Amino acid sequence: DIVMTQSPDSLAVSLGERATINCKSSQSVLYSSKNKNYLAWYQQKPGQPPKLLIYWASIRESGVPDRFSGSGSGTDFTLTISSLQAEDVAVYYCQQYYSSPFSFGGGTKVEIK
Amino acid sequence: EVQLLESGGGLVQPGGSLRLSCAASEFTFSSYPMSWVRQAPGQGLEWVSTVTGTGDSTYYADSVKGRFTISRDNSKNTLYLQLNSLRAEDTAVYYCAKDTVTLDFYFDLWGRGTLVTVSS
């Protein structure tokens, strides 16, 4: 099974500043023949279901603000919020969909400093 | 509005059974694989099960294999999860989630969830 490890567990960032969340998979989620990383990012606000932000490691879902970006390949990935807004307070999860069971990271809680 | 609405959660004793439902609206339900993902109180997310658009193929996490059964009724735009032999560790909010049409196993639409509590 692929284990997804996120860091940090939580971070506090000032409004307008950059937030960076890391996600590491225990084995590569890059499907070489397709040149695709099977990695998604979700945002979960308090009391709400998760919302898809990024898929294929770097493709922003329709309607997601462009301050959210995903990068990385193989086993190491990053979600960046370029300029943190108050409405971005949430827990963020990465998920691999390379192989079953389709596992999630433990989550990173983002707060305002 | 495109949405998913779960129901059927509640309090059940260990060893008991429950059936969850998820009603889909405003998209071509039969075209999309559908999944269940759960979240234990205060914890992270765990993929549980997926069914293809036709219902012909199903996939399960090892933790629920043999105890849970996913199914769908495309004539009713409804997804189901039958939960049997429930354990305390099955206590969670169960989310219904829509997969991509190409069965990629990531989820672009989620319901608000239904809480299952397993306790005596």
Coordinates of all heavy atoms in Angstrom, one line a residue, chain A residues 2-54:
Chain A
I2 N 0.4 2.3 -0.7 CA 1.1 3.6 -0.7 C 0.7 4.4 0.5 O -0.4 4.7 0.7 CB 0.9 4.3 -2.0 CG1 1.3 3.5 -3.2 CG2 1.6 5.7 -2.0 CD1 1.0 4.1 -4.6
V3 N 1.7 4.9 1.2 CA 1.5 5.7 2.4 C 1.8 7.2 2.0 O 2.9 7.5 1.4 CB 2.4 5.3 3.6 CG1 2.2 6.3 4.7 CG2 2.0 3.9 4.0
M4 N 0.9 8.0 2.3 CA 1.0 9.5 2.0 C 1.3 10.2 3.3 O 0.6 10.1 4.2 CB -0.3 10.0 1.3 CG -0.7 9.2 0.1 SD 0.5 9.2 -1.2 CE 0.4 10.9 -1.8
T5 N 2.4 11.0 3.3 CA 2.8 11.7 4.5 C 2.9 13.2 4.2 O 3.6 13.6 3.2 CB 4.2 11.2 4.9 OG1 4.2 9.8 5.2 CG2 4.6 12.0 6.2
Q6 N 2.1 14.0 4.9 CA 2.0 15.4 4.7 C 2.8 16.1 5.8 O 2.9 15.7 6.9 CB 0.6 15.9 4.7 CG -0.2 15.5 3.5 CD -1.6 16.1 3.5 OE1 -2.6 15.4 3.4 NE2 -1.7 17.4 3.7
S7 N 3.4 17.3 5.4 CA 4.1 18.1 6.4 C 3.9 19.6 6.0 O 3.8 19.9 4.8 CB 5.6 17.8 6.4 OG 6.2 18.0 5.2
P8 N 3.8 20.5 6.9 CA 3.7 20.2 8.4 C 2.3 19.7 8.7 O 1.4 19.7 7.8 CB 4.0 21.5 9.0 CG 3.5 22.5 8.0 CD 3.8 21.9 6.7
D9 N 2.1 19.4 10.0 CA 0.7 19.0 10.4 C -0.2 20.3 10.4 O -1.4 20.2 10.2 CB 0.7 18.4 11.8 CG 1.4 17.0 11.8 OD1 1.4 16.4 10.7 OD2 1.9 16.6 12.9
S10 N 0.4 21.4 10.7 CA -0.3 22.7 10.7 C 0.6 23.8 10.5 O 1.9 23.7 10.7 CB -1.0 22.9 12.1 OG -0.1 23.0 13.1
L11 N 0.1 24.9 10.0 CA 0.9 26.1 9.8 C 0.0 27.3 9.9 O -1.2 27.3 9.5 CB 1.7 26.1 8.5 CG 1.0 26.3 7.1 CD1 2.0 26.7 6.1 CD2 0.2 25.1 6.7
A12 N 0.6 28.4 10.4 CA 0.0 29.7 10.5 C 0.7 30.7 9.6 O 1.9 30.8 9.8 CB -0.1 30.1 12.0
V13 N -0.1 31.3 8.8 CA 0.5 32.2 7.8 C -0.3 33.5 7.8 O -1.5 33.5 8.0 CB 0.4 31.6 6.4 CG1 0.9 32.6 5.3 CG2 1.2 30.3 6.3
S14 N 0.4 34.6 7.7 CA -0.2 35.9 7.6 C -1.0 36.1 6.4 O -0.7 35.5 5.3 CB 0.8 37.0 7.8 OG 1.6 36.9 8.9
L15 N -2.1 36.9 6.4 CA -2.9 37.2 5.3 C -2.0 37.8 4.2 O -1.1 38.7 4.5 CB -4.0 38.2 5.6 CG -5.1 37.6 6.4 CD1 -6.1 38.7 6.9 CD2 -5.9 36.5 5.7
G16 N -2.1 37.3 3.0 CA -1.3 37.8 1.8 C 0.0 37.1 1.7 O 0.7 37.3 0.7
E17 N 0.4 36.3 2.6 CA 1.7 35.6 2.5 C 1.5 34.2 1.9 O 0.4 33.7 1.7 CB 2.3 35.5 3.9 CG 2.7 36.8 4.5 CD 3.7 37.6 3.7 OE1 4.8 37.0 3.4 OE2 3.4 38.7 3.3
R18 N 2.6 33.6 1.6 CA 2.6 32.3 0.9 C 2.5 31.1 1.9 O 3.1 31.2 3.0 CB 3.9 32.1 0.1 CG 4.0 30.8 -0.6 CD 5.4 30.7 -1.3 NE 5.5 31.8 -2.3 CZ 5.3 31.7 -3.6 NH1 4.9 30.5 -4.1 NH2 5.4 32.8 -4.4
A19 N 1.7 30.1 1.6 CA 1.6 28.9 2.4 C 2.0 27.8 1.5 O 1.6 27.6 0.3 CB 0.2 28.7 2.8
T20 N 2.9 26.9 2.1 CA 3.4 25.8 1.3 C 3.2 24.5 2.1 O 3.6 24.4 3.3 CB 4.9 25.9 1.0 OG1 5.1 27.1 0.3 CG2 5.4 24.8 0.2
I21 N 2.5 23.5 1.5 CA 2.2 22.2 2.1 C 2.9 21.1 1.3 O 2.8 21.1 0.0 CB 0.7 22.0 2.1 CG1 0.0 23.1 2.9 CG2 0.4 20.6 2.7 CD1 -1.5 23.1 2.7
N22 N 3.5 20.2 2.0 CA 4.3 19.1 1.3 C 3.6 17.8 1.5 O 2.9 17.6 2.5 CB 5.7 19.1 1.9 CG 6.4 20.4 1.7 OD1 6.6 20.8 0.6 ND2 6.8 21.0 2.8
C23 N 3.7 17.0 0.5 CA 3.1 15.6 0.5 C 4.1 14.7 -0.1 O 4.7 14.9 -1.2 CB 1.8 15.7 -0.3 SG 1.1 14.0 -0.6
K24 N 4.4 13.6 0.6 CA 5.4 12.6 0.1 C 4.7 11.3 0.1 O 4.1 10.9 1.0 CB 6.6 12.6 1.0 CG 7.8 11.8 0.5 CD 9.0 11.9 1.4 CE 10.2 11.1 0.9 NZ 10.7 11.7 -0.4
S25 N 4.9 10.6 -1.0 CA 4.3 9.2 -1.2 C 5.5 8.2 -0.9 O 6.6 8.4 -1.3 CB 3.7 9.0 -2.5 OG 4.6 9.3 -3.6
S26 N 5.1 7.0 -0.4 CA 6.0 6.0 -0.1 C 6.6 5.3 -1.3 O 7.6 4.6 -1.2 CB 5.4 5.0 0.9 OG 4.3 4.3 0.3
Q27 N 5.9 5.5 -2.4 CA 6.5 5.0 -3.7 C 6.0 5.9 -4.8 O 5.0 6.7 -4.6 CB 6.1 3.5 -4.0 CG 4.6 3.3 -4.1 CD 4.2 1.8 -4.2 OE1 4.3 1.1 -3.2 NE2 3.9 1.3 -5.4
S28 N 6.6 5.9 -5.9 CA 6.3 6.8 -7.0 C 4.8 6.7 -7.4 O 4.3 5.6 -7.6 CB 7.2 6.6 -8.2 OG 6.8 7.5 -9.2
V29 N 4.2 7.8 -7.7 CA 2.8 7.8 -8.2 C 2.8 8.4 -9.7 O 1.8 8.7 -10.2 CB 1.8 8.6 -7.4 CG1 1.7 8.0 -6.0 CG2 2.2 10.1 -7.3
L30 N 4.0 8.4 -10.3 CA 4.2 8.8 -11.7 C 4.0 7.5 -12.6 O 4.8 6.6 -12.5 CB 5.6 9.4 -11.9 CG 6.0 9.7 -13.3 CD1 5.0 10.7 -14.0 CD2 7.4 10.1 -13.4
Y31 N 3.0 7.6 -13.4 CA 2.8 6.6 -14.4 C 3.6 7.0 -15.7 O 3.2 7.8 -16.4 CB 1.3 6.5 -14.7 CG 0.9 5.2 -15.4 CD1 -0.4 4.7 -15.2 CD2 1.7 4.6 -16.4 CE1 -0.8 3.5 -15.9 CE2 1.3 3.4 -17.0 CZ 0.0 2.9 -16.8 OH -0.4 1.8 -17.4
S32 N 4.8 6.4 -15.8 CA 5.8 6.9 -16.8 C 5.2 6.9 -18.2 O 5.5 7.9 -19.0 CB 7.0 6.1 -16.7 OG 7.6 6.1 -15.4
S33 N 4.5 5.9 -18.6 CA 4.1 5.7 -20.0 C 3.1 6.8 -20.4 O 2.9 7.2 -21.5 CB 3.5 4.4 -20.3 OG 2.4 4.2 -19.5
K34 N 2.4 7.3 -19.3 CA 1.4 8.4 -19.6 C 2.0 9.8 -19.2 O 1.4 10.8 -19.4 CB 0.1 8.2 -18.8 CG -0.6 6.9 -19.3 CD -2.0 6.8 -18.6 CE -2.8 5.6 -19.1 NZ -4.1 5.5 -18.4
N35 N 3.1 9.8 -18.5 CA 3.8 11.0 -18.0 C 2.8 11.7 -17.1 O 2.6 13.0 -17.2 CB 4.3 11.9 -19.1 CG 5.3 12.9 -18.5 OD1 5.9 12.7 -17.5 ND2 5.3 14.1 -19.2
K36 N 2.1 11.0 -16.2 CA 1.1 11.6 -15.3 C 1.4 11.2 -13.9 O 1.6 10.0 -13.7 CB -0.3 11.2 -15.7 CG -0.9 11.9 -17.0 CD -2.3 11.5 -17.1 CE -3.0 12.4 -18.2 NZ -4.4 12.1 -18.3
N37 N 1.3 12.2 -13.0 CA 1.4 11.9 -11.6 C 0.0 11.8 -11.0 O -0.9 12.7 -11.1 CB 2.1 13.0 -10.9 CG 3.6 13.0 -11.1 OD1 4.3 12.2 -10.6 ND2 4.1 13.9 -12.0
Y38 N -0.3 10.6 -10.4 CA -1.7 10.3 -10.0 C -1.9 10.9 -8.5 O -2.0 10.1 -7.5 CB -1.9 8.8 -10.0 CG -2.2 8.3 -11.4 CD1 -1.3 8.6 -12.4 CD2 -3.3 7.5 -11.7 CE1 -1.5 8.1 -13.7 CE2 -3.5 7.1 -13.0 CZ -2.6 7.4 -14.0 OH -2.9 6.9 -15.2
L39 N -2.0 12.2 -8.5 CA -2.0 12.9 -7.2 C -3.0 14.1 -7.2 O -3.0 14.9 -8.2 CB -0.6 13.5 -6.9 CG -0.1 14.0 -5.5 CD1 -0.7 15.4 -5.3 CD2 -0.5 13.1 -4.4
A40 N -3.8 14.1 -6.2 CA -4.8 15.2 -6.1 C -4.7 15.9 -4.8 O -4.2 15.3 -3.8 CB -6.2 14.6 -6.2
W41 N -5.2 17.1 -4.7 CA -5.3 17.9 -3.5 C -6.7 18.3 -3.2 O -7.4 18.7 -4.2 CB -4.4 19.2 -3.6 CG -2.9 18.9 -3.6 CD1 -2.1 18.8 -4.7 CD2 -2.1 18.8 -2.4 NE1 -0.8 18.7 -4.3 CE2 -0.8 18.7 -2.9 CE3 -2.4 18.9 -1.1 CZ2 0.3 18.5 -2.0 CZ3 -1.3 18.7 -0.2 CH2 0.0 18.6 -0.7
Y42 N -7.1 18.3 -2.0 CA -8.4 18.7 -1.5 C -8.3 19.7 -0.4 O -7.4 19.7 0.4 CB -9.3 17.5 -1.0 CG -9.4 16.4 -2.0 CD1 -8.5 15.4 -2.2 CD2 -10.6 16.3 -2.9 CE1 -8.6 14.4 -3.1 CE2 -10.7 15.3 -3.8 CZ -9.7 14.3 -3.9 OH -9.9 13.3 -4.8
Q43 N -9.4 20.5 -0.3 CA -9.5 21.5 0.7 C -10.8 21.1 1.5 O -11.8 20.9 0.9 CB -9.7 22.9 0.2 CG -10.0 24.0 1.1 CD -10.5 25.2 0.4 OE1 -11.5 25.3 -0.2 NE2 -9.7 26.3 0.5
Q44 N -10.7 21.1 2.8 CA -11.9 20.8 3.7 C -12.0 21.9 4.7 O -11.2 22.0 5.6 CB -11.8 19.4 4.3 CG -13.1 19.1 5.1 CD -13.1 17.7 5.7 OE1 -12.1 17.2 6.1 NE2 -14.3 17.1 5.7
K45 N -13.0 22.7 4.6 CA -13.3 23.7 5.6 C -14.1 23.1 6.7 O -14.8 22.1 6.5 CB -14.0 24.9 4.9 CG -13.2 25.6 3.8 CD -14.0 26.8 3.2 CE -13.1 27.5 2.2 NZ -13.8 28.6 1.6
P46 N -14.1 23.8 7.9 CA -14.8 23.2 9.0 C -16.3 23.0 8.7 O -17.0 23.8 8.2 CB -14.6 24.3 10.1 CG -13.3 25.0 9.7 CD -13.3 25.0 8.2
G47 N -16.7 21.8 9.1 CA -18.1 21.4 8.9 C -18.5 21.2 7.5 O -19.7 21.0 7.2
Q48 N -17.6 21.1 6.6 CA -17.9 20.9 5.1 C -17.2 19.7 4.6 O -16.3 19.2 5.2 CB -17.5 22.1 4.3 CG -18.2 23.4 4.7 CD -17.9 24.5 3.7 OE1 -17.4 24.3 2.6 NE2 -18.1 25.8 4.1
P49 N -17.8 19.2 3.5 CA -17.1 18.0 2.8 C -15.8 18.5 2.1 O -15.6 19.7 1.9 CB -18.1 17.5 1.8 CG -18.9 18.7 1.5 CD -19.0 19.5 2.7
P50 N -14.9 17.6 1.8 CA -13.8 18.0 1.0 C -14.2 18.6 -0.4 O -15.2 18.3 -0.9 CB -13.0 16.7 0.8 CG -13.4 15.8 1.9 CD -14.9 16.2 2.1
K51 N -13.3 19.4 -0.9 CA -13.5 20.0 -2.2 C -12.2 19.8 -3.1 O -11.1 20.0 -2.6 CB -13.7 21.5 -2.1 CG -13.8 22.2 -3.4 CD -13.8 23.7 -3.2 CE -13.7 24.5 -4.5 NZ -13.7 26.0 -4.2
L52 N -12.4 19.3 -4.3 CA -11.2 19.1 -5.1 C -10.6 20.4 -5.6 O -11.3 21.3 -6.1 CB -11.6 18.3 -6.4 CG -10.5 18.0 -7.4 CD1 -9.5 17.1 -6.8 CD2 -11.2 17.4 -8.7
L53 N -9.3 20.5 -5.4 CA -8.5 21.7 -5.8 C -7.7 21.4 -7.1 O -7.7 22.2 -8.0 CB -7.6 22.2 -4.7 CG -8.2 22.7 -3.4 CD1 -7.1 23.1 -2.4 CD2 -9.1 23.9 -3.7
I54 N -6.9 20.3 -7.0 CA -5.9 20.0 -8.0 C -5.9 18.6 -8.3 O -6.1 17.7 -7.4 CB -4.5 20.4 -7.4 CG1 -4.3 21.8 -7.0 CG2 -3.4 20.0 -8.4 CD1 -4.1 22.8 -8.1

